[in-house]
């Protein structure tokens, strides 16, 4: 599977725009990140921040028109997916990179049996004959914890619960043992108990296969125990990125701080739950300065006027903010105030 210390995926300065009646929407605007083999990367942010469009761009599933990938590179083992012929991308999609979509009911064909949908993948990518593909489909359904897999395989999507359908989607995604699994809010439509089961399933299968994972969510609580690194997106930009434990302890962006404050603490006595004031911006009509400035507690006049720089705080921690260093130091002081001397996060 290659050297675990080498990046499996590198996204460089990716820009994906959409032409709408309201003008050009810069859904993804110059984002960059890297993912090593066997690692899990979390991408978080409010709805409309560009999380899903980023990952649809990686596997070239942006509808054209109205969308278009304007510029950038998506390097899989050093090969730019954006420059490959469509036929070659189709061989990568499903085989080397697989995706679990938000709503399995819109991703599964309602007129095809579960077994048939699983069989198509391995017949296409692994060259299985019908018998091999069917046996493999049953094994995959068993692996993702579907009871009485053979009977379920002969049913249709509408005959399964939401949690079962999501397990089928995971079985499909992992059928060819991809090097990269993209999970786009895989638990959004599920109740809390099933959410935990699905996340644990992804974690277990990832550890068993060594697959790298990109987990997209708007819920910071979900990524806390699942990811190695975290990217916070807002208005099509990466606002902050760092190792997950570091970002939770020492957020260096007011937006990240707001997201963290929005996560309910079951141990704390709380009155009204915190929410970031205001609403996400209209990405077709962004202000000239920082897009978060109208909602930011730290905003000053420069934030309204000038777009913020990406400030490098440590080798792996960066924040898009005029006052990133100050916010970072505030977080350090907050950690020092709550921990015994000498036990803070550095």
């Amino acid at each position: 599977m290659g050297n675990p210390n080498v990046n499996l995926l590198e996204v460089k300065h990716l820009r994906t725009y959409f032409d709408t009646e309201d003008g050009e929407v810069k859904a993804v605007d110059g984002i960059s990140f890297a993912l090593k083999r066997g690692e899990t990367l979390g991408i978080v942010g409010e709805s409309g921040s560009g999380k899903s469009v980023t990952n649809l761009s990686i596997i070239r599933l942006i509808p054209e028109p109205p969308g278009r990938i304007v510029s950038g590179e998506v390097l899989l083992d050093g090969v730019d997916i954006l420059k490959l012929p469509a036929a070659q991308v189709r061989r990568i999609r499903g085989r080397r990179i697989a995706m679990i979509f938000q709503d399995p009911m819109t991703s599964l064909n309602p007129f095809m049996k579960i077994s048939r949908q699983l069989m198509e993948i391995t017949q296409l990518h692994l060259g299985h004959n019908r018998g091999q593909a069917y046996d493999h489909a049953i094994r995959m359904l068993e692996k993702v914890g579907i009871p009485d897999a053979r009977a379920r395989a002969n049913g249709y999507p509408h005959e399964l619960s939401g949690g079962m359908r999501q397990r089928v989607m995971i079985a499909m995604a992992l059928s060819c043992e991809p090097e990269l699994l993209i999970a786009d809010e895989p638990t959004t439509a599920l109740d809390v108990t099933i959410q935990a089961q699905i996340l644990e399933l992804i974690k277990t299968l990832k550890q068993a296969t060594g697959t790298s994972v990109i987990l997209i969510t708007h819920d910071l609580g979900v990524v806390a125990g699942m990811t190695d690194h975290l990217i916070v997106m807002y208005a099509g930009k990466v606002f902050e990125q760092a190792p997950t434990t570091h970002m939770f302890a020492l957020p260096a962006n007011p937006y990240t701080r707001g997201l963290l404050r929005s996560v309910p603490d079951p141990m704390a006595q709380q009155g009204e739950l915190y929410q970031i004031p205001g609403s996400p911006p209209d990405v077709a009509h962004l202000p000239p300065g920082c897009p978060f400035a109208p909602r930011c507690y730290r905003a000053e006049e420069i934030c309204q006027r000038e777009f913020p720089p990406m400030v490098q705080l440590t080798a792996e921690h960066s924040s898009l903010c005029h006052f990133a260093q100050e916010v970072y130091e505030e977080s350090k002081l907050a950690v020092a105030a709550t921990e015994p001397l000498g036990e803070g996060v550095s």
Side-chain angles (χ1 to χ4, degrees):
M1 293 290 285
N3 188 337
N5 296 316
V6 174
N7 290 329
L8 170 67
L9 181 75
E10 290 181 78
V11 175
K12 298 182 178 181
H13 312 297
L14 180 65
R15 288 180 168 83
T16 302
Y17 298 170
F18 289 83
D19 296 314
T20 72
E21 292 179 357
D22 293 330
E24 187 177 67
V25 172
K26 297 178 178 179
V28 172
D29 195 18
I31 75 164
S32 300
F33 63 86
L35 178 66
K36 287 185 170 61
R37 291 185 179 278
E39 283 190 337
T40 299
L41 171 73
I43 302 181
V44 300
E46 293 168 297
S47 296
S49 60
K51 306 183 300 295
S52 294
V53 174
T54 296
N55 290 282
L56 289 172
S57 300
I58 287 172
I59 54 176
R60 280 178 46 183
L61 283 180
I62 296 296
E64 299 183 20
R68 54 200 161 87
I69 299 172
V70 176
S71 62
E73 294 178 296
V74 176
L75 304 175
L76 181 67
D77 269 341
V79 177
D80 190 356
I81 294 175
L82 303 184
K83 292 180 179 174
L84 294 177
Q88 210 165 329
V89 176
R90 283 194 294 272
R91 286 196 289 272
I92 291 172
R93 201 188 294 138
R95 179 66 183 94
R96 298 186 65 193
I97 302 177
M99 189 163 182
I100 305 169
F101 294 92
Q102 287 187 33
D103 183 4
M105 213 37 195
T106 59
S107 304
L108 294 169
N109 188 326
F111 300 106
M112 289 175 64
K113 290 182 177 181
I114 299 296
S115 58
R116 180 68 247 162
Q117 299 188 56
L118 280 159
M119 288 164 65
E120 278 189 340
I121 298 166
T122 56
Q123 285 178 306
L124 174 65
H125 291 297
L126 302 182
H128 283 179
N129 61 35
R130 189 176 179 83
Q132 290 171 325
Y134 183 77
D135 290 343
H136 187 84
I138 302 303
R139 284 198 300 274
M140 289 306 301
L141 292 177
E142 290 171 345
K143 187 178 285 189
V144 298
I146 291 183
D148 198 6
R150 199 168 293 273
R152 301 282 187 183
N154 292 319
Y156 293 88
H158 71 271
E159 297 175 307
L160 302 180
S161 67
M164 287 289 186
R165 285 195 291 267
Q166 196 61 284
R167 287 172 188 268
V168 170
M169 287 298 299
I170 295 170
M172 291 175 68
L174 294 175
S175 283
C176 298
E177 296 190 2
E179 295 163 65
L180 172 61
L181 174 66
I182 300 172
D184 188 358
E185 303 201 24
T187 60
T188 297
L190 306 176
D191 63 59
V192 176
T193 306
I194 304 300
Q195 274 189 28
Q197 291 175 4
I198 294 297
L199 291 171
E200 189 59 35
L201 174 62
I202 292 172
K203 191 174 181 179
T204 302
L205 292 172
K206 176 231 172 192
Q207 289 169 346
T209 61
T211 299
S212 301
V213 177
I214 296 177
L215 178 63
I216 308 164
T217 180
H218 58 268
D219 187 348
L220 271 166
V222 165
V223 298
M226 284 281 295
T227 61
D228 301 299
H229 294 270
L230 205 53
I231 287 175
V232 177
M233 288 191 69
Y234 187 81
K237 299 278 191 183
V238 172
F239 258 51
E240 187 167 6
Q241 57 182 313
T244 303
T245 52
H246 200 79
M247 194 182 295
F248 270 77
L250 299 171
N253 194 289
Y255 178 56
T256 308
R257 275 194 160 188
L259 289 177
L260 288 168
R261 282 191 65 192
S262 302
V263 178
D265 182 355
M267 304 305 291
Q269 289 187 335
Q270 291 179 325
E272 191 173 338
L273 292 174
Y274 175 80
Q275 63 179 11
I276 300 172
S279 300
D282 177 0
V283 287
H285 303 98
L286 290 173
C290 175
F292 187 61
R295 310 171 67 191
C296 182
Y297 72 89
R298 189 70 178 75
E300 296 186 13
E301 194 272 333
I302 190 174
C303 305
Q304 311 285 349
R305 188 180 71 248
E306 294 180 18
F307 192 82
M310 181 63 81
V311 178
Q312 201 71 38
L313 300 155
T314 71
E316 295 186 289
H317 192 168
S318 55
S319 172
L320 190 77
C321 179
H322 288 290
F323 303 104
Q325 192 65 52
E326 289 92 328
V327 176
Y328 187 59
E329 295 303 326
E330 287 169 11
S331 294
K332 280 187 174 182
L333 289 172
V335 168
T338 58
E339 293 191 2
L341 193 63
E343 292 186 11
V345 178
S346 60

